[in-house]
Structures are given as C-alpha cells and as structure tokens.
Amino acid sequence: MSTLIQLIDDVVANKFDLGREQTSIGRHGDNAIQIDDVSVSAHHAIIRQKNSSYFVGMVEVFVEDLGSTNGTFLNGKKVEGPTRLNNNDVLRLAWNEFKFVDDSISKLDGTAHILQE
C-alpha cells in the first residue's frame, strides 16, 4: 500500500493511505484528501493507481495536476502530465509538501541482485 505523508517543516503532519484507484486532492470538501489552504485549488491534483505491466501483483502510481493555479511539483519539477511516483518522492501542491511512500517496494528488495564482474 502507498501512503502520502504531509510534512510541515519536515515533521509529519498527516498520513493519507492511497488505497483507491483514484485519489483526488484539493481544497473542496468533495476531495478524498482535503487541504484547507487558499493556495491549493479546489480540485488541484489526482493520484491514480494501475496494475503494473511488468510485475504481477504490483501497482504503479501516477500524479496529475488538474490545471491548478499554483501548480503541482515532483522533486522540484513542475508536473506537466501524468507522472509516475516512486518511493520517497517529494510532491508539492502549491506550498504544501508531501512525501510518497510505497510499502510494496520492499517486496521487490529480495528479488534484486547486484552482479559484480
């Protein structure tokens, strides 16, 4: 399961489980994650999950800005279209910072082997 962790001055303020196929984020009350901040658009961004084409049972997670006024940024770069999220990525919506944590990545740790020549 993936989690979006809201950080304020590098301290965990909130945790949001991303268990749905789609998770909307914004200021309006109909969003799955509501952020009470005027710099966040009413419907700011959406996080979508889909089954991986490469690993059976794994899920890929994407973020997309919904035409927000103050933008969505991933690791400091503006999100222009659906953009894949990776474990420990930093997501910023307007001035609100989040860390994306993907617990399923630990399932793959045992499958990776480093070959040395």
Side-chain angles (χ1 to χ4, degrees):
M1 161 123 14
S2 357
T3 306
L4 202 59
I5 300 172
Q6 186 175 20
L7 302 171
I8 298 176
D9 296 326
D10 292 329
V11 175
V12 175
N14 292 300
K15 289 184 180 182
F16 304 99
D17 289 330
L18 302 174
R20 304 174 179 194
E21 189 175 314
Q22 292 190 148
T23 303
S24 58
I25 307 171
R27 194 176 67 247
H28 195 274
D30 65 355
N31 288 288
I33 298 175
Q34 184 180 7
I35 303 171
D36 187 21
D37 182 345
V38 294
S39 67
V40 175
S41 294
H43 298 98
H44 197 102
I46 191 159
I47 295 177
R48 291 189 173 99
Q49 299 189 58
K50 70 173 196 157
N51 291 327
S52 173
S53 316
Y54 304 103
F55 296 103
V56 176
M58 298 299 289
V59 174
E60 294 177 303
V61 184
F62 296 84
V63 64
E64 185 174 355
D65 186 82
L66 297 176
S68 67
T69 301
N70 292 314
T72 300
F73 299 83
L74 182 60
N75 300 322
K77 295 181 182 176
K78 188 168 181 153
V79 171
E80 298 292 343
T83 305
R84 187 166 192 259
L85 292 171
N86 294 301
N87 191 42
N88 292 322
D89 276 347
V90 175
L91 186 64
R92 183 168 57 84
L93 283 75
W95 316 120
N96 298 270
E97 190 170 282
F98 299 85
K99 183 175 185 177
F100 174 74
V101 177
D102 186 357
D103 293 334
S104 66
I105 199 70
S106 63
K107 293 178 187 176
L108 292 178
D109 286 347
T111 65
H113 298 284
I114 298 173
L115 301 176
Q116 296 182 1
E117 293 184 52

